[in-house]
Every structure is written in C-alpha cells, then in structure tokens.
Amino acid sequence: MTGIDIPKILELAPSPAYVIDLGQLRHNLAILDEVQQRSGAKILMALKAFAMWSTFPLIRETLQGVCASSPWEARLGRETFGGEVHSFAAAFKERDIVELLSISDHLVFNSFSQLEGFRPLWEQERVSIGLRVNPEHSEGQTEIYDPCARNSRLGIPRREFDGKSLAGVEGLHFHTLCEHLFEPLARTAKVFEEKFGEFLPGMKWLNLGGGHHITRDGYDINGLVDLVKYFRDKYDVEVYLEPGEAVVIGTGLLVGEVLDVVPNEIETAILDVSATCHMPDILEMPYRPEILGGYDPGVKQYTYRLGGPSCLAGDIIGDWSFEKPLTPGDRLAFLDMAHYTMVKATSFNGIQHPHLCIYEPEVGNLCVVRSFDYEDFRGRLS
Ligand SMILES: Cc1ncc(COP(=O)(O)O)c(C=O)c1O
C-alpha cells in the first residue's frame, strides 16, 4: 500500500479509526474507468464490501451504481449513491420483493422456485429480472469463499434449467471469484458459456459478479477488456461487473493504539482495536494483515503478539516484530482495512467502534466524518 502518507495519518487520526485515503481511491477509480471506457462494461460498487457512503459522491463519478444484498443495502444505494441498483440475495421474503421492486433496477433470483413464486409480484413491474447461475467451476482454495464448492446454495446449476421457463428473464448473473486476477475469470467464463451460453441470445444483460482484483498490480486489464467485448459483441448484451474489494483495495487503514503490554512466553500488546470486532476476516478467512513498521517474528529485535481488548481468548491479530519496544500510547497502522471491515464490525463487549475518517492527501487534511458513542451501542439493543 504505497502512496499513502501513513505517518501523517497516524499523527492526525483519533484512535481507533478507519481512515480512507482519497488519493488511493482516485487511483483505483481511474483503473476501473479505463476498463469501462475501453470495454463498454458497466461497473457497480458492491455495498457488502464497502459502504462508507461519505465517499460515494467521488466513487459515483466513475461507477454506474451499486449491487445490494438486501432491502437496506438497496435503499442505502438509492439514497446515497444513485445510478443503478442491482439486488440479489440467496433467498427473499415476500416483503423484501415488494420493497426491492420499488428501489431496484435489476432483481436477481437464486432459484426457479423464487422466480416463479414471486412472478405475480414482478411480472407487471419495470424491474429487469435475472437468474444467478452456478457454473460449478471452482477457482478458490478457501471453501467458505467459494460459491462453486460442492453442494453450494449460491447459483442455479445447469441441470436445473431443463424444462424450466425463462419467460420474463432478461439476464444471467454469476459470482464465483474471490480476490482473483484475470485468468480465473477467463477459465470461468469459458465454462459458463459452454453450459449457459445457449440461454444468452435474446437476453439483455450478463453480470460477471465480483471477486475481480482489477486494481491490483499485475491484473490483465487487456484480457478483461477483450472478454467483456466478446460477450457484448457475440450476444448483444450489456455486461456488468460488481467488484467490492477492487474499488477500495489499498485505500484504507485501521489506526490502533497500544493500551498495555503483558508478559508471557511471548509478550502481548493489548490494543484498542480487535480482530473479532474490527477486522473479523483475520479470524474468518483467516489472513495476516500488514502493519507499518511490523515484520515477521524475530526479524527485528522486539517481537510481540498483538491482541484486542475483548474477552475472546482468540482475539489475536498475530505476531510481529518491531525495531523499538512497544509501549502504551504507541500508534499502529493496519494496512488495507477498507473492505469487509467496517461493514462487518461489531461492538461486542461494548468496545469503542472506530471513528470513520477521510484523508485528502492533496491538502494533508484528515476529516472525522463519523464518531460512535454510547447511544449508538445502546440503540442497537432494547
Ligand atoms: C454476488 C456478489 N457480488 C459481488 C461481490 C463482491 O465481491 P468482491 O468484494 O470480492 O469483489 C460479492 C462478494 O461476496 C458477491 O457475493
């Protein structure tokens, strides 16, 4: 995550805080814009990954709208982002459909039973209806992040299409990737076309889902442009991409502070940020984040285990070594913390929710756009 003035942010930000760097965000958006301009694809922001809506006016200058997973996300997209709202969920309630039909441009079903069951509700509406398909082609190594894993509930397999009516269905959607470069998409698209290509003629759109790390170094942009053009030209469909991570990778920090250092076989620094509350993918995925000035254990002189303030014994962020000893009050910057962090954060144990901040590198200004207090914690319960 180069290009961010992290020392300056550590100096200016309150702790704990999620901080978004607008310079990095503009960098990512420029790449996504190039993809749109050259390929004709429409790119949506996946709200499930990142929904800090004070940044949406900037993102909306480039992206075409949002993809939403629920009526609340759809409403947030309609109110704060604008453009198109595309909604999908593994299953809907009737009242979700009623609400989503009034705020969505596209509504994607995950089964023929829901498509048909809700047909009387959607058939008279202007919303474009689609089906999520499952090409049953796995590229992911981590099963919980692989919608094509065996017995997946996400997407309709090809065999389910036999004998079914596609009347009123205007598009197909697949989402099968997670943090992937272009080649896995190319392989998936080939399998998708072999299995489902026969249904595309006459359809209006194809949605290639998310999981594309388009803004990461080494992504084959030319390959993506050609693939999008191929589907647009051959089937005369609008092609959508709905990345979440790619919009904000490398843009966000989580600033934390050392509260105490307790002795054990490995000294443990207890921070005001928590793996389980603020960076849950560290435990779920699991993965090891990067820390400014933090090295693998033993590389530098002072090695610590970093843990959160919660009661969870496993609220451990990991082990790092540093050039200088850690002492209470020291600030740490966890890198790449924009996506799947604040949208998943909890206030378990009543732990202080991080402030939300925006850093504008052009003027060196940090703005706290939202702080959370006791009333926010109390208001979630009754
Ligand atoms: C249907 C759908 N679209 C888009 C996304 C966004 O994926 P990513 O943030 O990995 O790009 C997801 C993530 O799970 C998803 O399930």
Side-chain angles (χ1 to χ4, degrees):
M1 197 157 128
T2 50
I4 298 190
D5 189 349
I6 299 174
K8 179 87 187 246
I9 290 175
L10 284 175
E11 188 189 312
L12 296 175
S15 181
Y18 293 112
V19 183
I20 299 299
D21 181 275
L22 294 184
Q24 271 313 111
L25 184 55
R26 283 192 285 264
H27 166 84
N28 289 353
L29 290 170
I31 296 171
L32 297 174
D33 195 37
E34 183 194 334
V35 171
Q36 291 188 129
Q37 302 294 339
R38 289 178 51 204
S39 70
K42 288 186 165 186
I43 304 185
L44 308 170
M45 165 88 240
L47 292 183
K48 70 188 77 190
F50 179 76
M52 187 175 158
W53 46 268
S54 45
T55 62
F56 286 175
L58 173 62
I59 300 176
R60 175 71 178 108
E61 286 174 17
T62 302
L63 303 193
Q64 309 300 315
V66 301
C67 85
S69 316
S70 61
W72 284 357
E73 274 194 356
R75 192 172 153 193
L76 187 73
R78 178 60 72 218
E79 287 176 4
T80 64
F81 200 101
E84 298 182 28
V85 175
H86 293 215
S87 300
F88 163 81
F92 295 109
K93 290 185 175 178
E94 182 171 326
R95 69 160 188 269
D96 296 342
I97 298 289
V98 172
E99 195 174 346
L100 287 171
L101 283 172
S102 68
I103 33 184
S104 306
D105 297 281
H106 286 201
L107 184 59
V108 179
F109 289 103
N110 191 44
S111 71
F112 279 103
S113 56
Q114 289 228 317
L115 175 79
E116 292 307 330
F118 294 125
R119 185 179 282 277
L121 292 178
W122 59 258
E123 212 160 33
Q124 303 308 320
E125 302 287 336
R126 49 148 202 99
V127 176
S128 187
I129 299 297
L131 288 175
R132 175 165 171 176
V133 304
N134 187 332
E136 297 183 282
H137 170 84
S138 280
E139 290 285 350
Q141 314 301 328
T142 313
E143 197 159 306
I144 70 161
Y145 290 97
D146 180 11
C148 294
R150 199 152 168 248
N151 288 323
S152 169
R153 73 190 190 295
L154 300 168
I156 309 171
R158 173 63 186 82
R159 58 190 166 276
E160 290 292 316
F161 275 64
D162 292 336
K164 300 289 189 341
S165 164
L166 292 179
V169 176
E170 296 187 339
L172 296 182
H173 174 290
F174 70 81
H175 168 78
T176 62
L177 304 178
C178 180
E179 301 186 343
H180 280 107
L181 293 176
F182 172 69
E183 294 69 20
L185 173 63
R187 291 190 288 269
T188 306
K190 187 165 179 293
V191 176
F192 162 78
E193 191 183 20
E194 281 160 15
K195 292 186 174 172
F196 298 96
E198 63 179 294
F199 304 117
L200 284 177
M203 293 224 170
K204 292 188 175 164
W205 52 266
L206 169 64
N207 187 324
L208 306 180
H212 320 284
H213 257 198
I214 303 167
T215 51
R216 198 167 97 203
D217 283 349
Y219 193 96
D220 179 3
I221 302 276
N222 292 336
L224 178 62
V225 167
D226 289 346
L227 183 95
V228 169
K229 280 186 175 163
Y230 169 80
F231 279 104
R232 293 186 74 221
D233 294 346
K234 181 164 177 187
Y235 297 103
D236 193 22
V237 285
E238 201 72 81
V239 174
Y240 289 90
L241 298 161
E242 48 182 36
E245 290 203 16
V247 183
V248 288
I249 35 179
T251 66
L253 302 179
L254 178 60
V255 173
E257 194 170 294
V258 177
L259 302 179
D260 196 7
V261 180
V262 294
N264 211 317
E265 271 178 44
I266 175 160
E267 276 196 300
T268 299
I270 301 176
L271 312 180
D272 63 352
V273 290
S274 152
T276 187
C277 296
H278 309 137
M279 305 174 265
D281 280 353
I282 288 178
L283 305 178
E284 263 181 41
M285 192 111 180
Y287 82 103
R288 178 179 166 80
E290 279 186 58
I291 301 176
L292 181 74
Y295 298 82
D296 283 341
V299 173
K300 297 290 172 185
Q301 193 178 348
Y302 303 97
T303 294
Y304 296 90
R305 176 155 297 168
L306 303 181
S310 79
C311 65
L312 179 74
D315 190 359
I316 299 297
I317 303 163
D319 297 352
W320 279 268
S321 65
F322 298 88
E323 266 170 9
K324 292 186 192 150
L326 290 183
T327 53
D330 285 350
R331 290 288 180 88
L332 293 176
F334 293 88
L335 311 193
D336 215 6
M337 285 293 161
H339 47 85
Y340 298 107
T341 50
M342 43 188 122
V343 287
K344 291 177 112 178
T346 70
S347 47
F348 181 49
N349 282 207
I351 290 170
Q352 168 74 55
H353 190 73
H355 303 268
L356 305 185
C357 306
I358 287 176
Y359 182 68
E360 174 52 271
E362 284 179 6
V363 287
N365 180 45
L366 184 130
C367 177
V368 179
V369 291
R370 176 83 159 96
S371 293
F372 300 86
D373 59 16
Y374 169 67
E375 296 303 329
D376 294 300
F377 174 60
R378 184 172 186 253
R380 290 194 55 196
L381 304 162
S382 178

